[in-house]
Amino acid sequence: MSVGATGPERKLIDTCVHCGFCLPACPTYQLSSNEAESPRGRIDLMRRYLDGAIGLDADFVAHIDSCLGCMACVKACPSGVDYETLIVEAKSMIHASFQRPSRQRLVRKVIFAIMPYPARMRPLARLGSLSKRLGVERIAKGRASGGVAATLASALALLPRVANSAVPARNRLYSASAPRRGVVGLLTGCVSSVLFGSTEQAAIDVLCAEGFDVLVPGGQGCCGALAEHAGEAPLARRLAGALVARLGREQVDAWITTSAGCGSTLKSYDRLLPGNPASREFSERVRDIHEFLYQQGLRADYKPLGMRVAYHPACHLANAQGIVDEPLALLRAIPGCEVVLPGQSGTCCGSAGIYNLVEPATAQVLGKAKASSIAELHADVVATGNPGCLLQIARYSDPGLASAHPVELLARSLRASTA
Amino acid sequence: MPIASLSDRIAEFKRRVVELVPHGECIVGDAPALSSYGADGLIRFRQTPEVVVLAKSTEEVRAVVSLCAELGIPFVGRGSGTGLSGGAVPPAHGVVIAASAMKGIVEIDPVDRIAVVEPGVANLVVSERSAPLGLYYAPDPSSQSVCSIGGNVAENSGGAHCLKYGFTTNHVLAVEVVLPDGSVEVLGGESPFEPGLDLRSSFVGSEGTLGIVTKVWLRLLSRPEAVRTLVADFDSVESAGAAVSAIIAAGIVPAAIEMMDALAIEACEKAVAAGYSLDAAAALIVEVDGSQEEVDALYEEVKTACITCGTTKIREAADQAERSRIWLGRKAAFAAAGRLAPAYIVQDGVVPRTALSSILGRIQELANQVGLRVANVFHAGDGNLHPLVLYNPDSTQESEAAEKLATEIVELCVEIGGSITGEHGVGLEKACSMAAMFDDGDLEAMQRLRVAFDSQGIANPGKVFPTPRLCGDAPGRYRAHALELSGEAVRF
């Protein structure tokens, strides 16, 4: 099926029997207690819209916009409703048919003119981190009554004080450093490649140590996940099409991503580019790094790290891709590594793609709650498999709490073994 | 005072209600949100309310109900909206007073074993929060992770474990309620015996027709020392039914006995992969609890009864995780039926336990006559059956046939000495079937009680009692009932 302006499909809506089992799982319902801010309520809005009972007005849009897309409801649903497709279709319909107020339009335009393009994002991120050190953040915050200024303030608050931008060289095949088990490609993405070069490096180190050649093709763009989850379907299709065109002919056993949000879209390109055999074939080879390492089995020599790790299950890993136990198993494979989960561990941290930029109020409540439940664990480091979550949690946590992608901890443990 | 038109009164209500709810939220102009409160767990019935109030306190509920009383605007209380009889469908031109934002646990007293909770708290949350004290709240509707205690009180909800422990009414010591005239009362008390007429019992299960509950004193139980659970497969529904009778006849009161037929097993298995056998014609889930010694003895007796009645396979839950899995499957049954057909009607009838296998045969006959499929799950221990009538909503003919079949099934229950509802309530859906069970005198007696609480008829009107409009009586000039003429009852 194709995501477009036609709106949510009646057939998918009808699979919802209105039982309400999703209500306790939904962070926005838990905060608002409002039926229209729940998955069941949002599906009902779509149904009523198709029935012609309600219009596509600002209230309708607000209730759909407020959905984090965390997919906790999908796990809770006994009827197997494909909420992910429904919400993407509803958001795409809004994008195609609803005239947003000019301020919202501008905010989204700015976000999607920058974030998917590392060449534009990189200098701005450096500037942002610099200005943050100079205290500009406080000024922006003071003026942030809404619109672009508020988004800028949120964006600045999310940026690390020092941009972590040493990116591994592109267009290279990094050779396996153990008996060879295969060849994989590393998907570098957009935001991640600007802010999390260290995660990429760690992924390469671990994969090589596990016996895989790692191809890192240059010229990769954004996978389209951010745009798709925000309803910007035309842009998402364009980006996805370009990525498939760039990588489709590379001969690798699997495409590895370190970003949960990207993985969920990369694995379902059929939704964005229906009937395209190349994109389907590409999607079938995409693996999240936790999933891949767990399936292959760890063979390298991991040395003790002796630390307490708070693991935050990213929604797009646990809910959208069903990758729950794998990251825990990998972290527990590091000797001396104690892994703990925060209370309400299944609740979204509020990052949710561009959500913390366009819905900062809800994102802040969720971010603070997540940070405080993590703080209670008194961990040495918080680990999570999604760049957005790493930024969001770091923003609301004590600056003394380190954060890392789980693969970085694996890499650190490897280095300890060779030191 | 001149009587204002309905639309004027509604307009005035909308103007004044906002200031009465300083901490909660009033949904007045947001048409999509209002629309989303049009239906509860039974989506076939729908009526968009004029206003939704997300109250935060008894005081806010009181103020809003008082305004309803002053202006003669009907209202309905709503918990999580999971009811399956249309009980929380708003009355026409009415107001929804939702308890979803009142979800606090006020106090848990581990000595007297009482939990004082707000009405919006989810059933399961009470047990989760009491667990560290070794306590739990026994009634366990299948929707317990979602459904609210306030809704449970309104519907006198049951659940799989009510066979041994009783229904909501057996676990509610007292309720704080806002009556339809805006007064706040506490019915019942913390001691197990209260002198005088038992108004608490009248209120529990009154489906919102006597007022709105704003605080509940719940009885908590100690967690049993031991629990054992088995799933027994059978190659016919009859032999599973015989096993139920054999277990009860042996003098055992298990914590739960649930039965599922092949179609229900298929649906649950698709939804949660609970490990049920897809080739069984029927399966029983039997749970025994108590002290370790007692449980071990009872378990062996249950097993023997199943073997005597020809079970084809017995699987015992090895640990808590497996037990949870088994229950998760059973409790997902209704929504899981969505995987077998695009739409279904959940029916809720009661039959004498001994009639279980024979009624299944009759249901099958009725279903075959109209070419529809029916999946069956029951609380077999107390004869409460939940046939799920599967149909395709795109076909008007099939939809109508399904509704007709569902009604025939409950009326069949009454015919063989049972009841039209075991735990889902009458609501909108069954109001017309009340006449199949009660005669005019019974209904009048209930109506008199109701009017004593609600003289204006503004608390959830149109539910429970059959009305000519709802039940399609022959049209014609309205004739006042004798009770109305004598001034004892009012027509709503």
Side-chain angles (χ1 to χ4, degrees):
Chain A
M1 73 215 86
S2 165
V3 169
T6 50
E9 258 186 283
R10 168 76 67 177
K11 208 173 73 208
L12 295 182
I13 289 173
D14 282 344
T15 56
C16 170
V17 300
H18 222 243
C19 69
F21 276 44
C22 52
L23 301 183
C26 176
T28 55
Y29 179 77
Q30 287 305 311
L31 289 179
S32 68
S33 307
N34 184 338
E35 181 75 24
E37 301 279 306
S38 75
R40 175 175 74 170
R42 293 186 181 105
I43 294 172
D44 199 51
L45 295 194
M46 298 175 203
R47 177 185 285 128
R48 298 288 280 163
Y49 170 76
L50 291 189
D51 286 347
I54 55 173
L56 185 55
D57 60 11
D59 287 321
F60 181 100
V61 170
H63 296 309
I64 300 295
D65 275 353
S66 72
C67 173
L68 293 145
C70 72
M71 304 304 145
C73 53
V74 172
K75 252 176 131 177
C77 176
S79 307
V81 174
D82 182 2
Y83 183 79
E84 186 171 12
T85 300
L86 281 173
I87 196 71
V88 163
E89 285 178 346
K91 288 189 173 181
S92 304
M93 174 180 80
I94 290 168
H95 177 71
S97 315
F98 178 72
Q99 181 79 348
R100 287 182 183 278
S102 54
R103 238 160 49 165
Q104 280 186 21
R105 272 208 313 277
L106 183 61
V107 165
R108 283 169 186 258
K109 220 171 212 159
V110 169
I111 290 173
F112 286 109
I114 298 172
M115 280 173 76
Y117 307 100
R120 299 177 197 170
M121 175 82 183
R122 187 165 292 115
L124 286 169
R126 280 191 189 136
L127 192 64
S129 292
L130 176 67
S131 65
K132 201 169 164 165
R133 291 197 294 279
L134 295 173
V136 176
E137 185 190 356
R138 278 196 305 279
I139 301 166
K141 220 172 177 177
R143 302 195 168 189
S145 57
V148 178
T151 307
L152 184 66
S154 298
L156 273 178
L158 282 168
L159 279 177
R161 287 176 68 83
V162 182
N164 182 355
S165 54
V167 175
R170 305 309 199 221
N171 290 319
R172 268 187 61 182
L173 183 72
Y174 295 83
S175 298
S177 53
R180 194 173 173 283
R181 298 158 78 183
V183 57
V184 298
L186 186 68
L187 296 164
T188 51
C190 51
V191 177
S192 187
S193 72
V194 173
L195 298 177
F196 293 99
S198 58
T199 306
E200 283 184 12
Q201 188 60 56
I204 294 168
D205 292 350
V206 171
L207 287 163
C208 289
E210 288 293 340
F212 295 93
D213 290 338
V214 182
L215 178 71
V216 186
Q220 300 183 46
C222 166
C223 67
L226 281 176
E228 191 199 20
H229 295 150
E232 310 257 342
L235 174 62
R237 265 194 291 273
R238 218 163 49 237
L239 292 167
L243 189 64
V244 173
R246 168 69 188 86
L247 300 178
R249 275 188 298 273
E250 302 283 3
Q251 296 296 312
V252 294
D253 303 335
W255 286 108
I256 305 296
T257 175
T258 55
S259 158
C262 304
S264 78
T265 290
L266 285 161
K267 286 179 177 178
S268 44
Y269 267 0
D270 213 28
R271 190 167 56 206
L272 275 175
L273 308 166
N276 177 340
S279 68
R280 169 175 296 180
E281 199 266 345
F282 173 78
S283 271
E284 282 167 359
R285 278 190 290 166
V286 172
R287 296 285 179 278
D288 179 80
I289 188 151
H290 304 96
E291 179 187 19
F292 182 79
L293 289 172
Y294 182 83
Q295 279 170 354
Q296 300 293 323
L298 295 183
R299 292 183 188 170
D301 184 18
Y302 294 89
K303 280 281 165 56
L305 278 186
M307 54 166 58
R308 187 171 159 89
V309 180
Y311 176 68
H312 163 65
C315 299
H316 273 96
L317 207 54
N319 303 333
Q321 299 182 61
I323 299 174
V324 178
D325 298 330
E326 294 86 336
L328 294 171
L330 295 178
L331 287 169
R332 288 184 176 135
I334 302 173
C337 183
E338 183 197 0
V339 187
V340 284
L341 274 90
Q344 308 280 310
S345 70
T347 304
C348 177
C349 67
S351 166
I354 65 161
Y355 193 90
N356 49 5
L357 299 179
V358 292
E359 301 277 337
T362 306
Q364 182 176 45
V365 175
L366 293 170
K368 284 184 171 166
K370 184 57 69 186
S372 83
S373 65
I374 289 171
E376 280 173 23
L377 299 172
H378 303 290
D380 301 304
V381 57
V382 54
T384 182
N386 190 49
C389 307
L390 281 170
L391 293 174
Q392 171 83 349
I393 291 169
R395 173 183 174 180
Y396 292 106
S397 293
D398 184 292
L401 178 68
S403 61
H405 190 290
V407 77
E408 292 181 67
L409 299 180
L410 284 172
R412 209 179 295 173
S413 152
L414 278 178
R415 281 198 301 276
S417 76
T418 51
Chain B
M1 192 181 81
I3 298 169
S5 72
L6 178 65
S7 58
D8 286 349
R9 285 181 284 136
I10 290 172
E12 187 177 344
F13 184 90
K14 288 180 179 172
R15 264 198 311 279
R16 288 170 58 190
V17 71
V18 180
E19 66 200 45
L20 300 177
V21 188
H23 303 293
E25 189 186 338
C26 287
I27 303 171
V28 180
D30 180 345
L34 289 172
S35 157
S36 73
Y37 281 89
D40 60 11
L42 193 64
I43 205 165
R44 281 181 293 140
F45 299 104
R46 184 185 277 279
Q47 174 72 52
T48 299
E50 298 285 344
V51 173
V52 174
V53 176
L54 306 178
K56 281 277 200 191
S57 65
T58 303
E59 172 49 30
E60 290 186 347
V61 175
R62 190 204 59 74
V64 174
V65 170
S66 296
L67 187 60
C68 287
E70 181 191 330
L71 297 172
I73 309 259
F75 62 85
V76 60
R78 177 180 166 115
S80 302
T82 55
L84 291 168
S85 56
V89 173
H93 310 292
V95 173
V96 171
I97 302 174
S100 51
M102 290 173 71
K103 50 186 176 184
I105 290 189
V106 182
E107 188 191 347
I108 295 177
D109 178 342
V111 180
D112 288 333
R113 299 183 179 176
I114 293 172
V116 186
V117 305
E118 292 188 325
V121 70
N123 172 299
L124 189 61
V125 170
V126 179
S127 287
E128 284 172 354
R129 295 279 294 275
S130 325
L133 304 165
L135 302 172
Y136 78 114
Y137 176 66
D140 61 335
S142 293
S143 57
Q144 68 183 131
S145 59
V146 196
C147 64
S148 68
I149 291 293
N152 289 178
V153 167
E155 301 294 318
N156 188 21
S157 305
H161 292 78
C162 289
L163 170 62
K164 181 169 178 182
Y165 294 101
F167 284 69
T168 300
T169 191
N170 303 108
H171 299 270
V172 169
L173 294 164
V175 283
E176 176 192 84
V177 297
V178 175
L179 297 180
D181 64 356
S183 56
V184 180
E185 300 289 344
V186 174
L187 309 178
E190 292 193 9
S191 64
F193 180 81
E194 291 283 318
L197 290 180
D198 187 357
L199 298 176
R200 179 207 63 85
S201 290
S202 305
F203 198 93
V204 176
S206 62
E207 305 195 21
T209 61
L210 304 185
I212 292 186
V213 58
T214 48
K215 202 197 280 187
V216 191
W217 284 257
L218 298 170
R219 189 161 72 103
L220 301 176
L221 302 184
S222 292
R223 283 238 167 251
E225 179 192 324
V227 184
R228 289 179 76 175
T229 309
L230 64 76
V231 182
D233 297 345
F234 292 88
D235 55 15
S236 75
V237 172
E238 286 73 21
S239 47
V244 174
S245 294
I247 292 167
I248 303 287
I252 304 167
V253 184
I257 309 182
E258 299 287 300
M259 196 200 289
M260 296 184 285
D261 70 2
L263 213 47
I265 292 171
E266 184 191 334
C268 296
E269 197 54 25
K270 273 188 183 161
V272 305
Y276 302 147
S277 312
L278 287 170
D279 55 355
L284 294 181
I285 302 172
V286 189
E287 187 159 284
V288 288
D289 65 8
S291 68
Q292 189 67 55
E293 214 172 307
E294 179 192 3
V295 163
D296 289 342
L298 292 178
Y299 183 84
E300 287 311 315
E301 285 191 56
V302 166
K303 212 168 137 182
T304 309
C306 291
I307 292 167
T308 312
C309 295
T311 181
T312 51
K313 181 184 154 195
I314 288 183
R315 160 190 170 210
E316 185 185 358
D319 51 24
Q320 185 54 42
E322 193 174 353
R323 178 166 23 256
S324 301
R325 203 86 210 141
I326 289 170
W327 280 114
L328 195 64
R330 165 59 189 87
K331 293 196 172 193
F334 294 169
R339 294 175 187 253
L340 299 180
Y344 60 89
I345 298 172
V346 179
Q347 202 38 287
D348 169 43
V350 181
V351 294
R353 199 161 41 225
T354 45
L356 268 183
S357 10
S358 66
I359 195 169
L360 278 184
R362 299 277 297 277
I363 290 173
Q364 194 55 55
E365 275 170 35
L366 290 173
N368 288 344
Q369 279 168 20
V370 287
L372 290 174
R373 289 189 302 164
V374 177
N376 288 288
V377 290
F378 337 134
H379 304 311
D382 42 28
N384 183 189
L385 39 128
H386 293 307
L388 298 148
V389 180
L390 310 176
Y391 68 99
N392 175 4
D394 293 339
S395 152
T396 318
Q397 195 197 343
E398 207 169 306
S399 309
E400 284 169 5
E403 289 219 24
K404 189 160 162 279
L405 175 59
T407 305
E408 282 171 0
I409 292 173
V410 274
E411 294 184 353
L412 179 64
C413 293
V414 178
E415 196 186 304
I416 60 175
S419 152
I420 56 169
T421 169
E423 55 184 8
H424 294 173
V426 178
L428 260 183
E429 190 198 23
K430 300 261 180 72
C432 298
S433 296
M434 283 288 273
M437 193 157 171
F438 298 104
D439 63 21
D440 288 351
D442 297 336
L443 291 172
E444 278 161 21
M446 291 184 210
Q447 193 69 262
R448 276 202 292 269
L449 174 71
R450 179 182 177 188
V451 170
F453 278 84
D454 181 18
S455 59
Q456 282 196 82
I458 54 172
N460 209 10
K463 311 293 164 56
V464 185
F465 297 96
T467 64
R469 188 177 64 84
L470 199 62
C471 305
D473 272 13
R477 202 169 64 82
Y478 175 73
R479 289 193 309 275
H481 188 271
L483 279 173
E484 284 180 73
L485 295 174
S486 69
E488 284 181 86
V490 183
R491 179 171 174 253
F492 300 146

